[in-house]
Structure formats: structure tokens, C-alpha cells
Amino acid sequence: MIIKPFLFVFTTFTLFSQAAEDGKANYALYCSACHGANGVGPENNPNPPLAKSEWLQGTPDRAISAVMVGLKGPIEVKGRLYNLIMPPQGAVLSDEKLASILTYVRSSFGNKGKKVSPERVAKVRKQLAGRTEYYTAGELRQKYPISHRYGWPRLKNLTSRLYLGKWEMMPDFSKLEPAAFEEEPRNLVDVYHSGGLKKEFGMIWEGELITKKEGDYNAIIDASDGARLFINDQLVVEVEGVGPRGKERARRRRFRMGKGSNKLRLEYFNNQGDPGLTFMMQGPTGKVWLSESRLQVIDSAPPIPLVAEKGSAIIYRNFIDGARPKAIAVGYDGGVNHAFSIGHLGLDLVWQGDFMDGGLHWTNRGKGNAKPKGTDVVKLLKGPAFATLLDEKQAWPGRDKTGLKENFGGYSLDKNGLPSFRYTVEGLQVQEHASFSSAAGKRQLVRKITFEGTPPPKLHMALVNGAEVISKEEGVFQVDDKISLTVSGATPMLRTGEGADLVMPVVSPSSLTITYTWN
Amino acid sequence: MKTLLTLTLSTSCALAEYYRTETIPLPEGEVIEVSSIALMPDQKVAISGRRGSIWVATGCYDDDVSQVRWTRFAQGLHEPLGMHWKDGSLYVQQRSEYTRATDTDGDGKADNFENICDDWGTSGNYHEYVFGSTPDRNGDVWAILCLTGSGGYAADFRGWGLRITPDGQMYPEVSGIRSPGGLGYNAAGDLFYTDNQGPWNGSSSLKWMKPGGFMGSPSGNKAATKFGLEKPPEPKNKSRMLTERLKDPRIIPPAVILPHGRVGQSPTAVLYDDTKGKFGPFQGQVLVGEQTHSQVQRVDLEKVNGLYQGAVFPFLKGYASGVVPMRLAQDGTLFVGGTNRGWGSRGPQPFSFERTRWTGEIPFETETMKITSKGFRLTFTQPADEKSLLDPSSYQLKHWTYIYQKSYGSPEVDQGAAKVTGVKVLSDGRGVELTLDRWERGHVYHLEMKGVKSAKGKALWHPSAYYTVNEIPES
């Protein structure tokens, strides 16, 4: 017996007119796993806190929107950078449920926001109908500006002046004519109020810094390029010269301020590169950001250095910057490293010094490509390692379309833990093994390759493709001015043109040794 | 307030009374976000971590788990999410490769890593997880590939279920996968996986990977064009699963919907109880891990008119981290691995390895829930109080479905309430047949049985069940 579907849907729907929603229970069910039952969660929770979050202040529409369509990408909450995805919940949560959750969140964990009505949620839902894009923090912030006024001291009557010019140190602005004058009604310092200039400009902000208490304050400034802060006409703190923002240049200075109005003047210039200025105050009444942009959180992932044991090698199989997605990186004790592409059967990268850091992939969701941790990285191959060349003038295939049947067979570890890779190219069987060496104090990666079986006709192997190769000395090839490469057991051809390459015909059976020596 | 407190206490006591969970200590100073578990001969247990290492332990079955000893078997693998032992090797499903890892010289460490199959793509996106199964009845294994970023297609066979033969041949068998959390077999040897709420998945669910079947998300259909495969269905947006699958029978509806929020938020591992009673009274049934809620759910499956369906019951809870892999050993030890990196969990630990055993005490619980032409037949683990069984108000039934749509998730829609119009107690007093006033096919039925008491006057350990009605038997 099958009853037609949907026959009773509309008659029965009213039986479920919404009972009062329990915001706390709904929060526990839908939100607490990530944001914590207490609005914070465990220590080092990669999900941002809701307790006293500035994103929950003021209009509820900001939070409604984020929950409704989701939020993606980096977001700063309470001075810390987070970078996860908040999946959209609009389809799951009814207006009543979402209103109950936000009402609960806005009145719990130390938050003091007003009640959110289901009608308000419905209104935002209507505005966002059809939207499938996640919000980014920037877009959300632009639509629903966040007041920084949740702490003291505060800026008041802030104005800015814009100057044009290229300087390497702070100019004497008194001798310059401003190109523009602005009132800053949001009372926040913002270098993007330069009228869209990306380089070669300077700015001065002037206004009042209002304190609630007399006491010791810290001013923290980070700037690219220079900045200096005067309070009551006294120089308090300065970031000198040219350079990017970061730990190295950020400056903190402690000073004393009285209660009430203090005269503020902040000078800034940008030579070139990304403009940026962050300005924070800490004092007896807490800390507060007085700039639109905030401190970059540098190295938010803890370092997890990957180091080979003595005399051995360490393997890291993951997404590596400059190598193709299916790559195996190997770090050899002694400080030489390579990334072998199993999709293309060749060395994508070699570098010296430290191997890799697991911090990027092994914290949070592990997004992105991890950079080799060492130095003098050389990208050896743009295209495949093996291809058939009908004549020696034929260009090396730039991409992976060679039509050759290739198979990566795997690797074995010798008694020291050093891997030997094995693979086939049609009927050709290849084994290769690399190790650390040194000569005249220079590090070397010594790679031994053995060919057996029957290669397809005219099979060539590329040792370098798409990098800069020059040869000043017979049989010695300088690659990207970082390493020299020599081959014994075969004679490679240096072919110049658009992206040089170093290729050789494959002879089987044979063995050859390739030595990469860092300059 | 007082009642609530008593209730909470009695629930957690009840859990410890029937099932006991213990922490198995991991090697000190190591971060092992447990991502797969393999049972080995001589009572050894292997686990892999998301950071790519494999560790082998002895002592995981002993009474005193403080004596567990670990050795590192391998490192440098790419986030393994599936592992089993066969013929002297550990078979590991890495993100970009299905690998046989072997210790050829007997020093306890793998020294040979053989690529068995790597014929699928990875674009470098962190979300392109690949989960691997144990061998099926033919000796093949299955890999299921998460979509790029959990909704897109940027590399070969994202969103497909691939069958891999022992000699490394790969056959794309199942399309329409979105974001899996694990896979495993039922007692009949059919393969199931869990998919997570998101695009084309109104709720998370347990799905039957019927070969040739389409699991619901068309994002991976691009592979069909590139590799000359039969074009999978293109379901209509904002429809219902029932409507779409009646149009195209290749669309396999979720066997058991795990209603989002109500019974979890991120289902993971799938296995069935083959311990012949050593893990309690639910032999032959399926267990499903739950990452966000740090729980294990129990599923009773049946096949009706050629499709799987059944009920999910809350089961075990309170795990230390987000439950991801599980293995059930023949002696009735359930090994549970945990990680909550990147995805929060109720269990507060960043990673964990635990074991759960049945104490021998039988809880008063719904043992099976099967559909009849007119309602449900329930059996209980212990004799029930007839008076409570016969009282129609002992049962509350609500039902709903989800919008089958491209956008993320779905509210519960088309809600209704079913009325119990008849109750018949089974002859042994351990079950009941309920007759309902009508059916709504394609809906999840939430049965609440707060009124049902055991012969000794006990309430059900878990009075809730959620049954997915794909099909209704003729009689």
C-alpha cells in the first residue's frame, strides 16, 4: 500500500506551528561543537570565540548574514587571526531557530546584545535569497561596519591629510603641501583613505585621544613603511625607514597619559609595496585597536620542523610549493632536499638547508602548499621528465601530454632509511637513489639512476626544463645561478631558447650519476 | 532541575553499566590524530595519523592498557584514511595513492612502499580526502573521493567511488559522492558510506554504494565526459529525493538519514557487528561514527523492494575527541580513533585512541525496527511491560523530509505526524507491531517511545529512533 506522497503535507504542516525555541539547546546542538559550550571552546580552538566577540556587537544582521550564507577565509576576532570555513546554515535553521540561537549567544558568554526576532532573521533571509557565495570577513565588515569602540581610549575629531612623494624616511611634513584633507567620522586610522594610492604617499592623522583613566599606556605601531606617533606633542613611538610590517619592525612604547583629552598626531609614509598601518593602545582599561587594519598575526601556526635523523632521510608527502600535487619530498641529513613528482617521474625541486615545516598542513585544516623551509630552491622541471624527441630540435613538451605509459612503482628504504624510487616508462625500468655529499664545503645531492629494459624509440630524459641553464665549463651546468649540475655516465645536451632545458637520450642498460652542487 | 540532574546522572551511569570506554595511551610526545585503524595478527593493532605516520601497538587487548607499547612502522605518508592488514603487509589508502607497506626485513619498520593504484587526481586542495575500505567479498577494495573543497571538481574522479582490484586495476563504479567520512560493509557484504550534510545533501546520511548507483551530488559528473563513462543523472534543483529517484532509478536514496543536529553533524566510520554477541545484543547491525558529537550511532538496516533503508538509534557517547575511524575486533573490542583538527568536536581532546567493550549487562533497548505494510515492527532486548506496550500514547511519531538541492543543507520540510491506530504485542512479549494511519514515502520517521517500559519497569536506554522510509512493503 503506497499513499501518494505530499497529499497531506499542507494539512499537517500547521500541527507543527513553532513552539518556543530554546536558544541554549539549539546552540548546544548546532554550534557548540566548534564554538564551545562557553562560547570559547578548548585552548587554541581554531574556531573563533563568540564570547565578547566584536562581530556580535551592534546590528544582529552581521551575524545573521554570516550564519545564513556562511563565512570563508581569514577573519580577525579579538585580535587573533582565524582561517576556517563557517558552513552556511540558512537552509537548516528556521527563522525561529536562528533567532533563538543568536538571542542566546548575544546575551551569554559576557555578551550584552539585544534580542533577535524571527522577523529580523526573515528580513535578512529575504535580502540574501539566491546568494550562494560565502561572505568574506571583509565584505561583511564593509556592509556592517564594526565599531571599535568597545574599549578605551578612543579617538575623537580625527582628521587626515594626504601628501604625495617618495621618501625613504619620514619627511618634514611642515614643508609640504597636503594633496587632500579628510574628516574621519569613524575615528579610525586607515591608510586606505589615501584615495586609492598604493605607493609613494604620506599621511598625517590628527585628533583627540580620550582616556577614562590616568595611567600607564602602551602604544603599539606596525607600519609599512614608516610611522611615528606624537601624544601631546611628545614623540612616543616610531617605526623608522622602509620595510614590510611584521615582528621585526613593530614597535611598542610605554608612556603615561592623564584622564580626558590628549592631543594625537600620527605620521605615516609609504615608499612602495603594500601600504599598511596598525595602531593599538593598551592601558589600565584594556586594549583597543585604533586603526582599521590590525596586527598581522604572523606564524599563527606553530612551527613543526621536520628533521632527518642522523645519517638518514625523512619523507614528507603533501602539497609543496613549486612541486606538482603528487610529490614526495625527501630531506637528507646533511641539508639537501628534493621533491620527486610521482605524476611526472622527475625531480621537481631541489633545495638546501632545512627540509620542510609541518605547521601549515598539520594545524587547522591544512590548507595550501607548504614552502620548502630551506634556501636556494631550484625548480628543475616544468614539464615531464621523459618524452620522445623525434629530433634534437623538437621542443620539450611543456606540460604532461607525452602519450607515454608511465607507472610509479613505489620506493624502498635502505638500512639507513634512504629511499630508492622505482618506476617504468613503457618498457624501460628505472631505479634511482639519492644521498647527501659535500665537496669543498659545498653541499651536494648525488642522484644515481639505473636504466634497464627496453625504452621506446627516441626516449629522452630531461634533467632541467624551463629554468635558466648556462654552461661556462665543459660538462658543468649552472641552473638558476644557484646550483651546478654535472652528469657522469651520460652526456646531456644544453638546449637554449624559451626556457632552457638539459636533456639526454636514454640508453638502456646504463647507469648515471647526477650531482647537484649548491654554489 | 533536580529531575534533570538525576536524569543526566542515570544516563551516563547507564552507559558505563552497559559499555565501558577506556583510553589507550599513545606514545608520549607524539601527535597522532588517528585517521585509520588496522587489526593485525598476534593481537597487534596499527593506527595511522593524519600527519602521515603509522604506529603498531601490542597490549591493546590487555586488561591493563598502561602496558601498551608502540613502535613506529612508517612515516611520510599522505593523510591515510583507510588501512587493513593482509598477507603480511599493511594496505594503506593515502590521499594520492593506494599503497602496500611491508616490513621485509622483520625489524618492525616498513621498508617497501608499493604503489598499487594512483589513477585518480588531486589538485592540491586540502578537502580532497580519500577514504579506503577493507577488501570486499571479491577481494577488491574501494576508495571514495571527496569533491574539491567539498563541492567542486578540479581533479579526476573527485566525487566517485572507485573499485581497485588486487592487481591495481581501477574501476569507477559509483558517482554522486560529496564529502564522505568513512565506508564499510553490512552483514550481507554490501558497501555503505557516510556523506555529510551540504550541497545536495539536506542531512548527513548513510548511503548504499550500489555499483552503478548515483549518490546524489552531480558535481563529479564531469569525469563521465572526460573518461567516456555513462553520464550520471542530473537531478533537478530544489526537488525531493523521492521525486528525483523515481524519475531516474540510478539515483540511490540515502539508506538511513542521520537527521542533522538530532543524531549528529558529521558521520564517519561504518562497520557491522560480526562478533556473534561479544559486543552486546545488536549483532549483525551497523555502527556509524560521529565526529562532531563524539559518538557512535547504531543502525538497523533492511532491504525493501530492492533498496536499503532502516533506523538509526543513539548508542555510545562521550568519546574524547571527534570520532573518525573505528574497528571492531572479533573479541568484541571496539577501537575508536579521534581527531578534531579543523572540525570541532564535543569531545575536547585534539586526538585520542580509545576502546569500548560491552560489560555483559543487557540494556533495555529497541533491538530491531522493521517496516511492515502498515507500520513498524519493533523488538526489544528484554521482555517489555505489556500494558505500556499496548498504550498508543507510549509512541509519538513525527515525520519529515529535506529539500534535495544544490545549496548547503536543508531545513526539515513537509512535516507531518503519524497516528498509531493499532498496537499488537508479539507473542514472546519482547516486541510490538504498530499500525499507522498512513504513510509518507521518502520521509524520516522519528519514533519517540518514552512510555515503553520493560517488564521490570525500566524505560528504554534510548527511546528515540529515526527510520527512513524509502519503500513500503506490499504486505
Side-chain angles (χ1 to χ4, degrees):
Chain A
M1 182 186 78
I2 294 170
I3 291 171
K4 280 179 193 156
F6 310 133
L7 201 59
F8 296 91
V9 168
F10 297 104
T11 52
T12 54
F13 189 78
T14 46
L15 292 175
F16 286 84
S17 60
Q18 298 294 332
E21 288 286 351
D22 180 344
K24 189 177 179 179
N26 285 332
Y27 175 82
L29 195 56
Y30 293 101
C31 320
S32 68
C34 292
H35 294 291
N38 59 357
V40 179
E43 206 183 327
N44 293 323
N45 186 359
N47 307 290
L50 303 179
K52 296 186 177 171
S53 163
E54 66 270 30
W55 292 83
L56 289 163
Q57 291 198 339
T59 172
D61 295 357
R62 187 189 309 111
I64 297 171
S65 305
V67 178
M68 195 78 76
V69 302
L71 186 60
K72 212 172 191 170
I75 180 170
E76 279 179 43
V77 184
K78 297 176 78 176
R80 222 193 111 185
L81 191 69
Y82 297 84
N83 192 0
L84 282 177
I85 289 171
M86 161 92 187
Q89 305 294 329
V92 175
L93 300 173
S94 64
D95 296 340
E96 289 75 15
K97 270 203 169 75
L98 182 43
S100 77
I101 290 170
L102 287 179
T103 298
Y104 171 70
V105 168
R106 281 162 59 91
S107 61
S108 308
F109 323 133
N111 296 331
K112 292 188 180 70
K114 287 193 186 117
K115 192 172 176 289
V116 182
S117 69
E119 293 73 27
R120 185 96 189 209
V121 177
K123 202 175 137 200
V124 178
R125 190 188 291 277
K126 211 172 155 191
Q127 289 164 7
L128 293 171
R131 179 178 170 131
T132 52
E133 301 272 293
Y134 288 65
Y135 266 108
T136 61
E139 188 192 353
L140 202 54
R141 190 171 202 141
Q142 201 167 29
K143 192 160 175 196
Y144 304 107
I146 294 170
S147 166
H148 287 229
R149 292 178 176 175
Y150 56 92
W152 293 86
R154 292 174 181 174
L155 288 168
K156 199 178 159 190
N157 298 327
L158 191 71
T159 60
S160 70
R161 285 181 172 79
L162 174 70
Y163 298 83
L164 303 178
K166 188 178 180 181
W167 309 283
E168 273 161 9
M169 50 192 290
M170 196 66 74
D172 182 352
F173 285 109
S174 68
K175 291 181 177 155
L176 300 168
E177 277 297 313
F181 175 87
E182 297 278 348
E183 287 179 352
E184 301 285 358
R186 298 190 58 215
N187 285 307
L188 289 171
V189 170
D190 186 354
V191 291
Y192 289 98
H193 280 198
S194 60
L197 293 174
K198 294 280 161 66
K199 57 179 185 177
E200 297 172 18
F201 67 95
M203 290 180 80
I204 297 177
W205 291 268
E206 286 180 314
E208 294 172 68
L209 188 61
I210 313 289
T211 55
K212 251 179 148 177
K213 263 189 176 168
E214 184 188 338
D216 286 335
Y217 288 82
N218 276 303
I220 300 131
I221 284 189
D222 191 5
S224 56
D225 296 299
R228 63 184 172 201
L229 173 70
F230 298 85
I231 301 285
N232 299 325
D233 298 320
Q234 297 293 311
L235 176 64
V236 171
V237 58
E238 177 164 16
V239 177
E240 289 179 290
V242 171
R245 280 189 296 170
K247 275 186 205 156
E248 301 300 320
R249 287 173 54 78
R251 292 287 177 271
R252 170 194 295 257
R253 182 70 71 80
R254 197 178 159 109
F255 66 104
R256 205 163 172 83
M257 262 196 301
K259 186 184 169 186
S261 173
N262 297 274
K263 192 175 161 194
L264 171 135
R265 175 182 168 96
L266 179 58
E267 300 180 351
Y268 167 82
F269 77 94
N270 178 267
N271 179 298
Q272 56 181 335
D274 292 332
L277 176 59
T278 48
F279 173 26
M280 190 175 89
M281 296 284 301
Q282 277 175 334
T285 44
K287 70 172 183 184
V288 62
W289 295 90
L290 296 170
S291 56
E292 185 64 72
S293 87
R294 298 165 176 223
L295 279 183
Q296 299 279 317
V297 180
I298 298 151
D299 294 335
S300 64
I304 308 173
L306 303 178
V307 182
E309 284 169 27
K310 199 160 172 53
S312 186
I314 183 169
I315 291 176
Y316 185 64
R317 214 162 162 168
N318 216 310
F319 305 125
I320 294 155
D321 209 37
R324 287 168 277 202
K326 287 185 179 182
I328 303 179
V330 186
Y332 298 85
D333 179 38
V336 293
N337 316 280
H338 70 68
F340 180 85
S341 164
I342 65 169
H344 302 79
L345 303 178
L347 287 195
D348 274 359
L349 298 179
V350 291
W351 68 99
Q352 68 167 340
D354 291 339
F355 175 49
M356 296 293 304
D357 191 293
L360 178 77
H361 289 138
W362 293 351
T363 50
N364 292 340
R365 293 186 183 181
K367 262 184 257 183
N369 294 339
K371 287 191 168 66
K373 208 181 167 202
T375 57
D376 303 301
V377 184
V378 180
K379 186 173 167 66
L380 294 169
L381 287 180
K382 209 169 136 194
F386 293 91
T388 47
L389 290 185
L390 296 179
D391 64 68
E392 290 179 355
K393 291 208 174 81
Q394 188 187 333
W396 194 256
R399 287 281 166 196
D400 45 357
K401 301 270 183 264
T402 64
L404 292 168
K405 195 173 171 232
E406 298 178 333
N407 181 47
F408 176 69
Y411 57 93
S412 56
L413 303 177
D414 68 14
K415 61 181 187 336
N416 294 320
L418 271 56
S420 290
F421 296 100
R422 53 180 189 269
Y423 48 91
T424 58
V425 182
E426 302 278 348
L428 177 75
Q429 290 137 33
V430 191
Q431 286 256 13
E432 63 169 273
H433 179 270
S435 58
F436 164 78
S437 183
S438 67
K442 292 175 177 175
R443 288 178 176 135
Q444 293 181 317
L445 178 72
V446 182
R447 182 184 176 203
K448 294 190 167 161
I449 303 180
T450 314
F451 295 122
E452 278 179 57
T454 317
K458 313 258 185 193
L459 185 70
H460 286 67
M461 181 185 189
L463 301 178
V464 182
N465 164 243
E468 186 192 301
V469 191
I470 50 170
S471 178
K472 287 179 186 164
E473 193 184 328
E474 178 83 29
V476 182
F477 305 94
Q478 278 286 328
V479 187
D480 281 359
D481 209 20
K482 285 177 182 156
I483 54 169
S484 67
L485 190 160
T486 57
V487 182
S488 75
T491 310
M493 300 177 281
L494 174 57
R495 312 192 313 165
T496 48
E498 199 178 320
D501 58 34
L502 195 59
V503 302
M504 58 195 188
V506 171
V507 179
S508 175
S510 75
S511 23
L512 58 138
T513 303
I514 308 161
T515 305
Y516 306 83
T517 307
W518 274 266
N519 294 345
Chain B
M1 193 60 211
K2 204 179 164 192
T3 346
L4 187 71
L5 190 69
T6 329
L7 200 73
T8 321
L9 279 177
S10 67
T11 325
S12 55
C13 284
L15 177 57
E17 191 184 337
Y18 307 127
Y19 289 89
R20 189 168 299 136
T21 296
E22 295 162 281
T23 298
I24 300 174
L26 290 169
E28 214 175 312
E30 296 290 337
V31 175
I32 307 173
E33 299 149 324
V34 185
S35 57
S36 68
I37 304 168
L39 305 178
M40 294 169 66
D42 306 325
Q43 294 211 318
K44 288 182 182 169
V45 177
I47 59 172
S48 69
R50 291 172 69 189
R51 294 184 173 188
S53 60
I54 295 176
W55 293 76
V56 175
T58 56
C60 290
Y61 296 86
D62 295 353
D63 288 339
D64 180 7
V65 282
S66 72
Q67 296 307 305
V68 167
R69 291 287 173 270
W70 293 96
T71 50
R72 198 178 75 184
F73 183 75
Q75 66 84 214
L77 303 170
H78 199 169
E79 202 154 17
L81 290 167
M83 182 165 65
H84 66 274
W85 174 267
K86 197 182 132 195
D87 302 336
S89 296
L90 275 174
Y91 287 72
V92 189
Q93 182 60 62
Q94 302 191 61
R95 183 172 285 222
S96 54
E97 187 185 296
Y98 176 53
T99 308
R100 170 164 50 214
T102 312
D103 168 18
T104 63
D105 61 7
D107 70 349
K109 291 177 184 167
D111 47 42
N112 192 26
F113 297 83
E114 188 184 341
N115 173 14
I116 299 174
C117 181
D118 66 348
D119 295 341
W120 64 89
T122 174
S123 72
N125 175 278
Y126 77 97
H127 217 302
E128 289 173 345
Y129 296 101
V130 182
F131 290 84
S133 79
T134 54
D136 67 12
R137 49 172 100 82
N138 302 315
D140 299 340
V141 297
W142 294 69
I144 41 173
L145 277 62
C146 185
L147 291 168
T148 305
S150 81
Y153 186 90
D156 293 347
F157 296 113
R158 304 317 311 180
W160 285 70
L162 310 169
R163 180 168 60 86
I164 301 168
T165 63
D167 65 352
Q169 298 301 309
M170 187 186 94
Y171 299 92
E173 298 273 14
V174 170
S175 59
I177 288 162
R178 180 193 165 250
S179 182
L183 73 170
Y185 305 96
N186 69 347
D190 287 327
L191 186 60
F192 292 80
Y193 84 103
T194 49
D195 212 333
N196 277 266
Q197 183 232 26
W200 300 103
N201 287 268
S203 170
S204 298
S205 62
L206 178 71
K207 299 189 185 187
W208 174 30
M209 287 176 70
K210 186 184 179 189
F214 174 78
M215 301 292 113
S217 164
S219 304
N221 288 3
K222 285 175 186 155
T225 322
K226 180 170 175 186
F227 294 96
L229 305 166
E230 184 191 309
K231 185 98 178 126
E234 293 282 351
K236 191 169 161 260
N237 194 16
K238 297 194 188 293
S239 179
R240 300 288 182 273
M241 175 49 83
L242 179 67
T243 315
E244 296 305 303
R245 70 131 170 124
L246 290 177
K247 284 195 271 185
D248 189 334
R250 294 176 300 166
I251 302 178
I252 309 299
V256 178
I257 288 166
L258 311 166
H260 185 78
R262 296 174 185 259
V263 294
Q265 269 156 268
S266 306
T268 53
V270 181
L271 55 81
Y272 79 98
D273 178 357
D274 61 348
T275 63
K276 301 184 175 66
K278 294 208 175 72
F279 194 63
F282 309 110
Q283 49 184 304
Q285 295 190 5
V286 165
L287 303 184
V288 175
E290 161 57 37
Q291 195 268 342
T292 311
H293 289 191
S294 305
Q295 293 174 349
V296 176
Q297 264 74 265
R298 177 169 65 89
V299 165
D300 183 24
L301 286 168
E302 62 180 323
K303 213 173 190 179
V304 181
N305 299 340
L307 285 176
Y308 274 109
Q309 60 188 39
V312 56
F313 308 89
F315 187 36
L316 307 171
K317 63 176 186 179
Y319 288 96
S321 187
V323 172
V324 176
M326 302 196 296
R327 283 278 186 256
L328 182 55
Q330 288 293 311
D331 77 328
T333 305
L334 179 72
F335 292 103
V336 179
T339 164
N340 67 6
R341 170 154 67 78
W343 282 268
S345 67
R346 284 189 186 166
Q349 299 301 322
F351 55 93
S352 61
F353 188 47
E354 292 165 287
R355 72 176 187 196
T356 299
R357 284 169 164 168
W358 180 44
T359 60
E361 287 293 317
I362 296 180
F364 178 55
E365 189 75 315
T366 310
E367 189 175 323
T368 65
M369 180 175 186
K370 306 290 186 197
I371 195 167
T372 66
S373 59
K374 295 199 173 84
F376 294 109
R377 183 189 298 114
L378 302 154
T379 61
F380 303 106
T381 53
Q382 288 172 335
D385 167 54
E386 190 170 336
K387 199 175 151 226
S388 75
L389 287 186
L390 284 170
D391 181 358
S393 73
S394 289
Y395 316 95
Q396 265 87 49
L397 271 153
K398 293 179 179 181
H399 56 84
W400 63 85
T401 186
Y402 297 88
I403 306 169
Y404 184 34
Q405 61 181 352
K406 194 180 172 187
S407 55
Y408 202 100
S410 161
E412 295 170 357
V413 293
D414 310 343
Q415 291 95 331
K419 230 164 116 184
V420 175
T421 56
V423 182
K424 194 182 137 196
V425 177
L426 300 184
S427 59
D428 62 359
R430 283 174 53 161
V432 69
E433 262 189 34
L434 305 179
T435 307
L436 309 186
D437 57 345
R438 59 194 177 76
W439 279 124
E440 204 68 74
R441 191 154 67 126
H443 278 212
V444 188
Y445 278 67
H446 175 198
L447 173 60
E448 195 66 39
M449 296 173 281
K450 290 222 170 77
V452 170
K453 297 279 183 295
S454 74
K456 290 176 184 163
K458 262 188 174 174
L460 285 163
W461 185 25
H462 298 101
S464 257
Y466 299 86
Y467 189 102
T468 299
V469 179
N470 289 323
E471 288 290 317
I472 298 147
E474 284 295 320
S475 60

